[in-house]
Amino acid sequence: MRIYFVLFWWAAISPLWCQEPNLAQQLQRYQERIAMTTHGERLVWMDSLTSAVEFQAEHHYDSLARATIDFALAEDSLAIAADNISDLIYYRKSYLGDPSQAVELFKQYEFL
């Protein structure tokens, strides 16, 4: 019975120790791939990077989401742009607690 407790504890706690280094490595890998690619492939990596840091201000989510939106619009990928716009509006309204910023963002991209 004790071995099950130890295994359960290790399985529950170990991801907490490993999460940040893995995230840092993952972000570095995304940034390298973004620098090496162009067009649609770059957009996929930018969207993955934005998703990896979604709603995390310490990783500059806001500016990454805006860059992904602008690049998606330049590449005529309205689905990715719209998805990131809605996430960014939600982030500004719910996480930052500033509905006026969310409304301004909506007005900026309402042509979609």
Side-chain angles (χ1 to χ4, degrees):
M1 184 69 168
R2 183 179 174 146
I3 190 73
Y4 291 119
F5 175 75
V6 171
L7 287 175
F8 173 77
W9 182 83
W10 179 79
I13 301 298
S14 65
L16 299 176
W17 293 325
C18 301
Q19 187 173 4
E20 191 59 37
N22 289 338
L23 180 60
Q25 291 171 354
Q26 185 180 18
L27 298 180
Q28 180 65 31
R29 190 173 342 118
Y30 287 149
Q31 290 170 343
E32 290 169 0
R33 299 242 165 84
I34 289 168
M36 295 185 320
T37 57
T38 59
H39 303 294
E41 190 176 354
R42 175 177 277 179
L43 180 57
V44 169
W45 291 116
M46 290 176 74
D47 190 45
S48 296
L49 175 61
T50 303
S51 295
V53 299
E54 191 169 49
F55 309 140
Q56 298 179 26
E58 65 272 12
H59 292 293
H60 309 286
Y61 168 71
D62 195 304
S63 60
L64 288 172
R66 284 184 163 276
T68 302
I69 292 165
D70 293 340
F71 194 76
L73 291 173
E75 293 292 314
D76 288 331
S77 180
L78 296 181
I80 291 177
D83 186 45
N84 280 283
I85 290 168
S86 67
D87 288 345
L88 190 55
I89 288 171
Y90 176 77
Y91 170 74
R92 288 188 170 185
K93 181 185 77 60
S94 299
Y95 281 79
L96 299 182
D98 192 351
S100 63
Q101 279 188 357
V103 170
E104 288 299 318
L105 185 66
F106 174 79
K107 288 179 181 178
Q108 181 180 356
Y109 293 109
E110 73 180 325
F111 65 87
L112 296 174

